[in-house]
Amino acid sequence: MPIPSFQFRPTYVSFDCYGTLIEWPMTPITRELVGDQIPAEHWEQFVKEFRGYRYDSVCGEYCPYEQTLQDAFEGVCRKWGVKAAPDAGQRFADGVRSWGPHADVPEPLKKMGENYKLVILSNADDSFLQESVPRLGADFHAVFTAEQAGYYKPRYAAFEYMLDQLDASPEDFVHVSSHTRYDLMPMHDMGFRNLVLLDRGCDPVTHGYEYVTVKSLDELNRMLGI
């Protein structure tokens, strides 16, 4: 089947960062923190619910990213009746800062950056992106964070901050994310229509939000005419 192509040239190709471009091995750290407090037969459910608590923790007022991770972990541990390590947020944050790009990212992303203005909108603080972005090996026109915006995705204000900083409109973007709930669903509701799911199994694939699904950035490059 031929690969579809965009019928316009976007001003910006914007990205989520963690999970989409940078690896996101949160589960091994979770296992270290929980130990044997969760029976093996319930582990997958615990991990799934921790993912949900992380989503919930960014839907309110902004606080530093490390604190959102601590709050989410304490929430899921409280639900399951297990002890939450008081330094869990720091240990998760240290992990995020240490992770590198997915193996399939640097080469096609560099090529994309030679043809389009690349932008990141990330649910993390500036200090995280300062360490992670150089590992991607591509030139970025702009890098925006929840710390700068004062809001996390999926809050509309996070996306509005990006639009305001670039003096742009939704029609100017192709946006790429591995997260349907954080990025693609709210962006669709805000009028973004050129949305791409880079499917890494992070979120459930949803219907009715008019995004295109790709398996690699090479595939996306071909859609962009590269």
Side-chain angles (χ1 to χ4, degrees):
M1 180 181 295
I3 296 172
S5 61
F6 293 103
Q7 300 304 307
F8 80 116
R9 181 178 176 85
T11 304
Y12 305 104
V13 181
S14 54
F15 289 89
D16 167 69
C17 185
Y18 295 105
T20 302
L21 299 176
I22 297 287
E23 291 185 323
W24 185 252
M26 184 70 72
T27 300
I29 300 175
T30 307
R31 189 179 292 278
E32 291 175 9
L33 289 165
V34 173
D36 60 0
Q37 295 184 87
I38 298 294
E41 63 269 24
H42 298 311
W43 176 248
E44 291 302 322
Q45 184 62 29
F46 180 86
V47 169
K48 180 180 179 181
E49 292 185 11
F50 181 29
R51 187 180 305 123
Y53 273 88
R54 293 200 302 273
Y55 178 82
D56 181 71
S57 72
V58 299
C59 288
E61 293 185 2
Y62 171 82
C63 66
Y65 187 51
E66 184 175 309
Q67 187 62 51
T68 71
L69 294 170
Q70 181 71 36
D71 292 346
F73 189 67
E74 289 180 356
V76 72
C77 287
R78 185 165 51 247
K79 179 178 185 292
W80 282 77
V82 302
K83 183 179 179 181
D87 64 344
Q90 179 183 339
R91 289 169 67 177
F92 284 124
D94 289 346
V96 174
R97 289 189 179 97
S98 72
W99 298 332
H102 291 282
D104 61 353
V105 163
E107 184 176 346
L109 188 66
K110 184 177 187 298
K111 186 181 299 184
M112 195 183 302
E114 293 168 352
N115 291 270
Y116 289 92
K117 293 180 180 179
L118 304 184
V119 174
I120 282 177
L121 178 62
S122 175
N123 262 10
D125 301 342
D126 292 352
S127 63
F128 290 79
L129 278 298
Q130 287 165 3
E131 296 195 37
S132 297
V133 171
R135 296 177 186 144
L136 294 170
D139 292 328
F140 281 86
H141 177 75
V143 176
F144 303 122
T145 68
E147 180 180 9
Q148 296 168 25
Y151 296 91
Y152 286 100
K153 302 177 292 185
R155 298 291 303 275
Y156 285 9
F159 304 104
E160 289 169 346
Y161 177 81
M162 177 177 71
L163 294 175
D164 290 345
Q165 293 300 305
L166 295 172
D167 191 23
S169 63
E171 293 78 15
D172 296 322
F173 293 83
V174 165
H175 185 78
V176 187
S177 179
S178 295
H179 306 284
T180 53
R181 293 198 296 173
Y182 288 91
D183 288 66
L184 303 184
M185 294 166 70
M187 292 182 83
H188 176 272
D189 291 345
M190 292 178 68
F192 290 84
R193 286 297 176 269
N194 298 293
L195 301 172
V196 178
L197 174 67
L198 178 53
D199 188 6
R200 299 194 186 278
C202 296
D203 282 359
V205 175
T206 55
H207 301 285
Y209 289 90
E210 302 177 58
Y211 54 76
V212 176
T213 300
V214 300
K215 293 294 186 180
S216 70
L217 291 187
D218 283 321
E219 187 176 347
L220 177 59
N221 274 342
R222 292 194 291 272
M223 293 173 63
L224 289 165
I226 301 173

